[in-house]
Amino acid sequence: MVEAIFENIADTYKRYPMTIVRGEGTRLWDSTGREYLDLVSGIAVCNLGHCHPELIRAAEQGLRSLWHVSNLYFTEPQARLAKALCNRSFGERVFFCNSGAEAVEAAFKLMRRYGHETKGPGAYEVVALENSFHGRTLGALSLTGQAQYRGGFTPLVPGVTFVPRNDERSLELAVGRRTCGIILEPIQGEGGVYRLTDGFLQLARELCDRHGLLLCFDEVQVGMGRTGRLFAYENTQTLPDIMCLAKALGNGLPIGAMIARADVMTFLSPGTHASTFGGNPVITQVAERVVEILGDEGFLSSVREKGLNLSKGLLALMKEFPDIIEEVRGQGLIQAVEFKRPLEGIWKHFMDEGMLVLCPRNQLLRLLPPLIIDQKDIDRFLEVFQRILRNYHE
Ligand code: PLP
């Protein structure tokens, strides 16, 4: 039953039965004072943990200097963040917004505008992937290849063709005269942590080059250090033309970014796209520091090392419990454990042990710990998981 103080909140989320009141580093505390190890990071957002002291300092400085002036004017923190992102990526221009869905909307509009201007108004179609997730606004939802999110909202934006992940033949067949772009997640996060093959990504690049299309990578979930590289495309041989970021860019403060090469971004000329809060001075001040800390090579190599240790531990559990665990997959500190059968309420067992995990469905555990997690806590998680699996085994 929902407590009276929460009764005015729209019931659009299935929530875990707890109220969180405080966070510090990798730890969260609920309203009864219980401490938890956070293995969710607010769904791949708080990559530097909760209330990071250097980010607090940047936020305080921002709050005391300038809250908002709109994009009628230039502001320095926005310019510095754009430069930091471009210095670290293939990108040369950044459009700032407030969320992942909005970054995808901006990319969708850019792809359409590009098709319109380079080939004509008939070139408006986009190829996306089955099992993808790009957000809940109508444009982003139209690119999302999962029926469970689309139901009841049709007709959606027309002109989107879906192909199965890593199916090169289908991708080739889907591209035609009317196509203006291809959008994909280098690793499908919400879809269950599935990596795209290098061959598939390279084919997407080749098709874009051959037919004059834009290739957009949605790195909203897997960018910002999650895979052990600042951007997930750095694990591949393929460069996109556009990249969407959000989630961990602000480490918990809302910000999104759509990044592109300069010659591509020119298709969104003044007046074609905008966002009142996009590139807010306080948040960009924080995000600049986030990029600096996450982008440190030593930090990223520690993420790769911890990710490897976590996946080794999970694979050892798969070996020990072959009747329960079907597959372990992921890269860096995004890892999924697929079970052979639904393990109803497994999250509750973790909660009883003082750990928060994400179970998007009863047959899947998705691990997204803060990237600052230490090896001791990874080991502790693996021990607890082993104990819980023993209970399901008996
Ligand atoms: N794109 C991807 C790959 C995502 O994982 C998500 C959210 O999970 C989104 C877009 C939407 O982001 P937001 O919830 O900030 O709109």
Side-chain angles (χ1 to χ4, degrees):
M1 208 190 64
V2 179
E3 278 179 61
I5 64 159
F6 302 118
E7 70 190 9
N8 300 108
I9 295 175
D11 202 15
T12 59
Y13 300 96
K14 224 169 90 193
R15 298 180 200 255
Y16 293 106
M18 66 191 305
T19 305
I20 297 177
V21 294
R22 193 166 79 79
E24 191 183 319
T26 55
R27 298 300 197 270
L28 288 169
W29 285 267
D30 72 11
S31 51
T32 70
R34 256 202 99 178
E35 179 182 320
Y36 299 89
L37 170 64
D38 179 13
L39 295 152
V40 182
S41 309
I43 319 187
V45 169
C46 302
N47 283 6
L48 291 172
H50 302 278
C51 297
H52 191 293
E54 289 182 50
L55 302 184
I56 290 178
R57 214 169 299 131
E60 275 175 356
Q61 207 176 37
L63 283 168
R64 285 177 206 287
S65 312
L66 187 68
W67 283 33
H68 175 83
V69 286
S70 87
N71 284 301
L72 291 171
Y73 314 96
F74 289 110
T75 57
E76 286 172 2
Q78 187 181 123
R80 284 199 306 267
L81 176 60
K83 202 164 273 307
L85 288 169
C86 292
N87 283 344
R88 289 302 308 252
S89 72
F90 70 93
E92 293 165 323
R93 298 287 185 273
V94 185
F95 174 83
F96 288 111
C97 50
N98 312 284
S99 67
E102 258 186 279
V104 169
E105 292 288 336
F108 198 176
K109 281 181 75 175
L110 176 54
M111 287 190 282
R112 278 223 168 164
R113 189 96 182 168
Y114 180 87
H116 208 273
E117 305 219 342
T118 58
K119 295 186 186 174
Y124 63 85
E125 293 184 1
V126 173
V127 178
L129 298 193
E130 288 173 11
N131 195 46
S132 59
F133 186 86
H134 297 291
R136 306 289 195 138
T137 53
L138 281 176
L141 190 60
S142 305
L143 299 167
T144 292
Q146 296 192 60
Q148 55 169 323
Y149 300 118
R150 299 164 62 96
F153 298 110
T154 50
L156 292 169
V157 178
V160 183
T161 308
F162 293 100
V163 301
R165 140 188 98 245
N166 296 333
D167 182 339
E168 297 183 15
R169 178 99 187 103
S170 298
L171 181 63
E172 211 152 0
L173 287 174
V175 170
R177 191 163 57 74
R178 294 178 164 277
T179 314
C180 62
I182 300 176
I183 184 165
L184 46 86
E185 303 153 84
I187 300 174
Q188 294 186 329
E190 292 300 300
V193 189
Y194 291 99
R195 279 165 77 167
L196 299 191
T197 60
D198 269 344
F200 188 79
L201 291 172
Q202 272 171 38
L203 175 66
R205 179 69 272 168
E206 266 170 51
L207 289 169
C208 286
D209 293 343
R210 201 184 314 153
H211 297 276
L213 324 173
L214 295 178
L215 180 60
C216 175
F217 283 1
D218 179 347
E219 295 218 8
V220 166
Q221 183 149 161
V222 296
M224 301 312 296
R226 180 55 57 188
T227 66
R229 307 273 173 204
L230 188 56
F231 304 114
Y233 77 81
E234 295 175 89
N235 296 300
T236 76
Q237 311 292 317
T238 309
L239 282 187
D241 303 303
I242 306 173
M243 174 168 67
C244 298
L245 295 176
K247 286 194 184 273
L249 179 55
N251 205 64
L253 297 184
I255 181 169
M258 189 270 283
I259 302 174
R261 285 202 321 271
D263 61 311
V264 170
M265 196 68 97
T266 52
F267 287 86
L268 286 184
S269 49
T272 54
H273 199 50
S275 162
T276 294
F277 291 123
N280 166 280
V282 179
I283 306 182
T284 46
Q285 179 112 351
V286 173
E288 185 195 357
R289 197 73 194 100
V290 170
V291 174
E292 227 173 277
I293 301 172
L294 285 180
D296 177 78
E297 213 18 76
F299 183 83
L300 289 168
S301 91
S302 82
V303 173
R304 294 196 289 277
E305 191 184 322
K306 288 183 286 192
L308 218 53
N309 293 342
L310 175 60
S311 95
K312 271 190 207 151
L314 294 172
L315 287 167
L317 290 176
M318 183 166 100
K319 217 162 158 200
E320 190 178 343
F321 301 98
D323 55 323
I324 305 181
I325 298 180
E326 170 78 29
E327 194 182 18
V328 171
R329 49 180 188 259
Q331 187 163 30
L333 286 173
I334 176 167
Q335 296 284 336
V337 182
E338 183 89 41
F339 301 120
K340 288 197 161 152
R341 56 187 156 91
L343 300 187
E344 194 76 47
I346 189 168
W347 57 269
K348 177 83 174 67
H349 296 293
F350 279 106
M351 207 180 268
D352 291 344
E353 298 270 1
M355 292 184 183
L356 299 182
V357 296
L358 183 61
C359 288
R361 48 190 167 84
N362 283 331
Q363 234 159 307
L364 185 78
L365 187 69
R366 182 153 43 113
L367 297 167
L368 297 158
L371 307 182
I372 56 165
I373 191 169
D374 62 24
Q375 189 56 44
K376 229 170 57 217
D377 280 334
I378 292 177
D379 293 342
R380 209 164 65 82
F381 158 76
L382 289 166
E383 276 164 37
V384 165
F385 195 12
Q386 184 185 44
R387 229 178 13 251
I388 291 172
L389 288 170
R390 272 192 199 127
N391 283 341
Y392 281 98
H393 183 59
E394 279 156 11

